[in-house]
Amino acid sequence: MSKATKKQRSVNAKAMSYSSYWRVLRRSMAVSWSTGPAMIVLYALGAMLEIAGTIVSMYATAQLGNLLARYLMHHADTQAIWRWLWVDIGCALAIALGFWLMSSAKRLLYFAMVRWATDAFQRMLATIDIADFDDTTIRSSINKIASGYTWQMSNLSETMLDFCYSFVRFAAITAVVAQISWWLIIVLVAFLIPSFIAESRIQKIQWFVWDEQGDNRHVFWGLDWIMRRARGQMELRSLQTKAYVLKKIADMNDRFYGKQATAYWRANKLLVQTKFVEVAGTAIGSIVLLRQFLAGSIGLDRYLFLSGALLRIGGALNTVFGSVARMQEPLLFAKAFYELIDRLPQVIDKPKPHALTLLTAPRIEFQHVSFAYPGKERMVFQNLSFVIEPGEHVALVGENGAGKSTLIKLLLRFYRPTSGQILVDGTDLQDVAIESW
């Protein structure tokens, strides 16, 4: 890969990390809400139930530990022990119900998003200009989106919900841990940032390696389509090209996934190192809390409660960072998806187009028409002029590539002439209302 390409990819990734990141995220949230508002409300209820259950359960467990220690020493009354045990059991039930509500809501939203993404993608294919399919960049984008739109957009919705849940959960546990020392929160966040950076790099790798393939992905899907058809198999076997095509597919997969595995392994080595840094942050908090307990500043029940919260805050913050990291690839996918479905056709009606009322066959005239396909320099034909009178039968005869099919495509307004005019009953075809033609 050239230095210029690497630099451009770095610029694109940085741009996605700032302005585009938030814009795509905000639009995805709006789409999720409009697609399944009831599911999102259900998820929020489940999340609140789970978070509340977790906090109360930590407190109940700490009280139980303290009361059991007193019971072993003094054989105190067991009524309070049983009471806190039932509270802990009730919290376990609340947590289980919360997770069930969250899981059910995510699955229902997943189905709704699949329907939305499928409809949006198919409508885009039916709306964009035929000429767009000849554009290498657009065709590559269509191929990439086609292989994942049924699940990538749904996964992004799920990951956004998980991020919101993990962030609120972290905030709730943070409120508890802050009772140890406010600066401890800053230390824990700082020690987890390296893990977040490493996870983000790993998530971006797959998209960028995939993006490098260009038309190779198009070739792969074409070969895959041939392999899945009976007619394709008959042709491959009769021509004895089966081994060649299988080797071609295997070589393409080896290059693509081999490069992806190499890039993943290089990034993953950094992730191992960050885990040591991550644990160090929790260790500092545990030392501070134990010193407070040994100094008599806090009792056993408070120590147990805060230590339980401390052990969870690292995991809670890691879940927040993990959710953000997992959103990297779906967000890059969503950015390309939105750019594609927002693409507007260029072959559209002009203001106040001429509506044809064809009761009989029209008079069709080509006046000095020249045409070359988009991105091609070779003209299919140049300065072509002829007339087809109403009711006249005309045969187009010529060798392959002479432009017979191209004439029909121009008449159907799939393409615009490079130069010249096509007249229908004396009106330029570009001025005719598409629906009337």
Side-chain angles (χ1 to χ4, degrees):
M1 188 192 305
S2 67
K3 291 183 178 180
T5 304
K6 289 182 178 179
K7 183 177 180 180
Q8 183 62 42
R9 181 153 293 126
S10 175
V11 171
N12 290 342
K14 187 175 181 181
M16 183 59 195
S17 300
Y18 298 105
S19 60
S20 297
Y21 188 102
W22 173 243
R23 187 166 56 252
V24 173
L25 187 62
R26 185 173 56 188
R27 181 171 178 179
S28 299
M29 288 178 176
V31 169
S32 297
W33 175 256
S34 63
T35 303
M39 294 81 152
I40 294 178
V41 171
L42 188 66
Y43 184 92
L45 290 174
M48 288 189 290
L49 193 60
E50 190 281 328
I51 293 170
T54 297
I55 298 298
V56 176
S57 177
M58 287 191 300
Y59 186 77
T61 301
Q63 293 298 322
L64 269 174
N66 183 47
L67 290 171
L68 287 173
R70 289 184 181 180
Y71 177 79
L72 291 175
M73 295 174 60
H74 307 294
H75 292 282
D77 184 26
T78 60
Q79 185 176 358
I81 295 176
W82 285 106
R83 183 171 63 250
W84 283 111
L85 176 63
W86 286 113
V87 170
D88 206 8
I89 292 174
C91 289
L93 178 60
I95 293 171
L97 289 174
F99 276 127
W100 174 76
L101 287 173
M102 292 163 63
S103 177
S104 300
K106 283 202 300 183
R107 182 50 52 181
L108 292 172
L109 182 61
Y110 183 96
F111 297 144
M113 286 298 298
V114 168
R115 292 195 297 270
W116 173 83
T118 300
D119 181 71
F121 183 71
Q122 298 300 329
R123 285 180 181 276
M124 176 276 300
L125 292 177
T127 302
I128 62 174
D129 294 327
I130 297 298
D132 287 340
F133 291 95
D134 297 321
D135 187 288
T136 302
T137 302
I138 298 174
R139 186 171 66 247
S140 177
S141 182
I142 290 174
N143 290 332
K144 288 186 294 183
I145 298 303
S147 65
Y149 70 90
T150 56
W151 57 273
Q152 282 278 29
M153 299 303 295
S154 300
N155 281 353
L156 177 57
S157 295
E158 288 189 348
T159 308
M160 288 190 302
L161 287 178
D162 287 341
F163 167 75
C164 294
Y165 153 70
S166 59
F167 183 82
V168 174
R169 190 172 189 269
F170 167 71
I173 297 176
T174 298
V176 175
V177 175
Q179 298 177 46
I180 302 174
S181 182
W182 64 269
W183 57 264
L184 187 58
I185 305 300
I186 300 176
V187 171
L188 290 171
V189 172
F191 275 75
L192 279 169
I193 286 177
S195 293
F196 168 65
I197 295 173
E199 288 280 4
S200 297
R201 287 182 180 178
I202 290 175
Q203 293 298 323
K204 288 179 179 178
I205 284 172
Q206 181 172 346
W207 181 261
F208 288 140
V209 172
W210 187 9
D211 197 39
E212 291 174 10
Q213 302 308 304
D215 266 2
N216 284 335
R217 299 299 298 177
H218 180 67
V219 173
F220 173 80
W221 293 121
L223 293 175
D224 177 71
W225 180 75
I226 292 172
M227 293 290 289
R228 287 186 282 107
R229 295 172 64 241
R231 181 177 177 179
Q233 284 294 333
M234 286 189 287
E235 291 174 353
L236 291 175
R237 298 180 191 190
S238 62
L239 296 173
Q240 297 183 352
T241 55
K242 178 176 65 175
Y244 170 80
V245 172
L246 287 173
K247 186 177 185 305
K248 181 73 174 178
I249 293 174
D251 289 344
M252 292 177 69
N253 275 330
D254 287 343
R255 285 199 305 271
F256 175 65
Y257 291 107
K259 190 169 186 177
Q260 194 171 29
T262 301
Y264 176 83
W265 175 245
R266 288 175 181 171
N268 203 39
K269 288 190 291 187
L270 175 63
L271 187 60
V272 175
Q273 302 170 19
T274 64
K275 294 302 176 184
F276 290 95
V277 179
E278 182 180 318
V279 173
T282 305
I284 292 174
S286 298
I287 292 171
V288 172
L289 182 60
L290 183 59
R291 288 176 65 89
Q292 290 180 358
F293 173 71
L294 295 177
S297 301
I298 57 175
L300 179 61
D301 57 341
R302 191 167 182 78
Y303 172 78
L304 293 174
F305 178 48
L306 295 177
S307 62
L310 181 62
L311 292 175
R312 284 177 172 84
I313 193 172
L317 187 56
N318 217 346
T319 303
V320 174
F321 285 162
S323 297
V324 174
R326 287 194 303 276
M327 279 195 288
Q328 298 300 310
E329 184 192 347
L331 279 171
L332 289 167
F333 184 95
K335 181 176 182 290
F337 183 84
Y338 292 138
E339 288 174 351
L340 202 55
I341 66 174
D342 289 343
R343 187 171 183 81
L344 298 175
Q346 300 301 310
V347 180
I348 57 175
D349 286 332
K350 294 182 177 180
K352 298 181 179 180
H354 176 72
L356 297 174
T357 55
L358 298 177
L359 301 179
T360 60
R363 182 180 189 272
I364 297 173
E365 181 179 0
F366 276 59
Q367 288 187 347
H368 309 292
V369 174
S370 299
F371 178 75
Y373 281 100
K376 305 292 183 181
E377 295 183 1
R378 186 182 73 85
M379 288 288 184
V380 180
F381 41 73
Q382 290 180 287
N383 201 31
L384 178 64
S385 298
F386 65 89
V387 176
I388 302 177
E389 297 293 346
E392 184 178 4
H393 296 277
V394 177
L396 301 176
V397 181
E399 61 184 10
N400 289 338
K404 302 183 297 298
S405 299
T406 301
L407 287 175
I408 305 301
K409 293 174 184 177
L410 291 175
L411 275 174
L412 292 173
R413 290 188 68 179
F414 290 161
Y415 299 92
R416 291 175 176 173
T418 304
S419 63
Q421 285 183 308
I422 301 175
L423 304 178
V424 179
D425 283 342
T427 302
D428 191 326
L429 185 58
Q430 303 304 317
D431 296 328
V432 173
I434 295 175
E435 291 298 324
S436 69
W437 177 240

